[in-house]
Amino acid sequence: MSLSLPSGFLWGAATAAAQIEGAAHEDGKLDSIWDHFARTPGNIANNDALDPAVDHYHRMPADVALMRELGLDSYRFSVSWARVKPADGPANPLGLDFYSRLVDELLGAGILPWLTLYHWDLPQAVQEKGGWANRDTAQRFLDYATVVHDTLGDRVSHWTTFNEPFCSAYLGYASGEHAPGLTEPRSALATLHHQHLAHGLAVKELRARGTQQLGITLNLTNAVPDDPDDAADLDAARRIDALWNRAFLDPIFRGCYPDDLLADVAALDFVSLIHDGDLATIAQPLDFLGVNYYHDDNVSAHPLPADSPAGLRPTDKPGASPFVASEFVTFPPRALPLTAMGWEINAPGLTTLLVRLGDEYRGLPPMYVTENGSAWDDVVSLDGAVHDTERVAYLESHVQAVADAIAAGADVRGYFAWSLLDNFEWAWGYEKRFGIIRVDYETQQRTIKDSGHAFARLIHGSRSVAP
Ligand code: IFM
């Protein structure tokens, strides 16, 4: 595959602490909300636990060697708050030491460490004080961020505050599919705002300490009206766009919440959560926007046929309920192929999204696709390999979509595959595999899949043709 990408385009793969590390109670780590949530039968498919996951905590050097074998420029990982500052007391030196060793290992392998401070695993001790619904958690996040920066700030140049705050707010506090498993719409909005505040406080502090690459990662979608000539469908798509995209982009990049969002959630008295000065704190200048993209959302204001598959019922759509009642929004299937998650495959959607962001948010910093990938029911062949042709096709078509966006004027500087390794896919447990490296969960053996080899070729090829 031949691609036209700017020189210096950054190639990486991503993971998150709770999904790969295991060692859930080792070296001073205490429960995160996910350790706690997973203990309730029925919360996770097959009642899977987060420990040992893929045992990355003990296999880290070998995993970094695999990254090097793939030729990655960068590795995007997250720090577990519950490992480095498990409770309200002092930091945990053993927990910090793990990330210090990881960073040294990466730098030694010539791989840029790209650190995310929060990928959904709040310490359970902080949850017990109200979690993100409690405004004070923003200050706790700042304390945690400074502790991590004290240890790693000398070696890590790229800092992301939050990964997909949509999920921790809406899936954690509104639809209840994710930890802490609550179904309280107002708490979800409080979480939304307090996470933004925490982001702004941390960016301000890390900037004052001289950090030069600071950003946030948002999962964004194209909310497509099912019938573009139907006013009700257009309005349903607008609502989803407001709640899922602009509720994040606008406060961070424009210093305000969208008026239509404020009107949509007026009954929940969202505005009383916003204190004087909050929006100025939130709208700190950033050096990059991380974009996570998996699929678009086809939105309608009309009921689905009664015989629609369960996964397509509006209340099953993550984050849709209970903000968005079924009478005014549904997600009708389109004639597109689906991944094993049941997610549409539509690579041009990524081009549309990246171009829209650049066009609509003037002054937006450079973008990086910080996650993109697909789950499939992988099979190990008799030759021991994983011939994951669908994942190869997904990967190549989406990288092409990034190149198309750049050609259309979007400032995109890198692409991270989700995920480096098969791992714990949250409420789906180990049932869904996203890795470009297979993990045998019995033996912990790693095997680079065909998609991993294809990615390595792509990286290599783009380096040899870069101007
Ligand atoms: O596994 C998740 C990841 O933690 C966040 N983004 C989406 C991925 C696939 O669902």
Side-chain angles (χ1 to χ4, degrees), residues 52 80 85 102 106 133 163 165-166 191-192 215 242 273 303 361 372 387 462:
S80 158
K85 207 168 181 311
L102 167 62
L106 290 168
N163 176 76
F166 164 103
T191 297
L192 168 85
L273 295 162
Y361 291 85
N372 175 245
H387 302 301
S462 88

Side-chain angles (χ1 to χ4, degrees), residues 15-16 19 76 119-120 163-164 167 178 217 219 292-294 341 343 370-375 418-419 423-426 428 432 434:
T15 63
Q19 294 180 271
R76 177 176 173 256
H119 196 127
W120 311 351
N163 176 76
E164 303 186 1
C167 298
H178 279 192
T217 275
N219 55 314
N292 290 0
Y293 175 83
Y294 289 88
M341 295 294 281
W343 295 347
T370 39
E371 276 182 34
N372 175 245
S374 56
W418 183 270
S419 178
N423 60 50
F424 177 82
E425 176 54 24
W426 309 110
W428 289 98
K432 306 290 180 195
F434 275 91

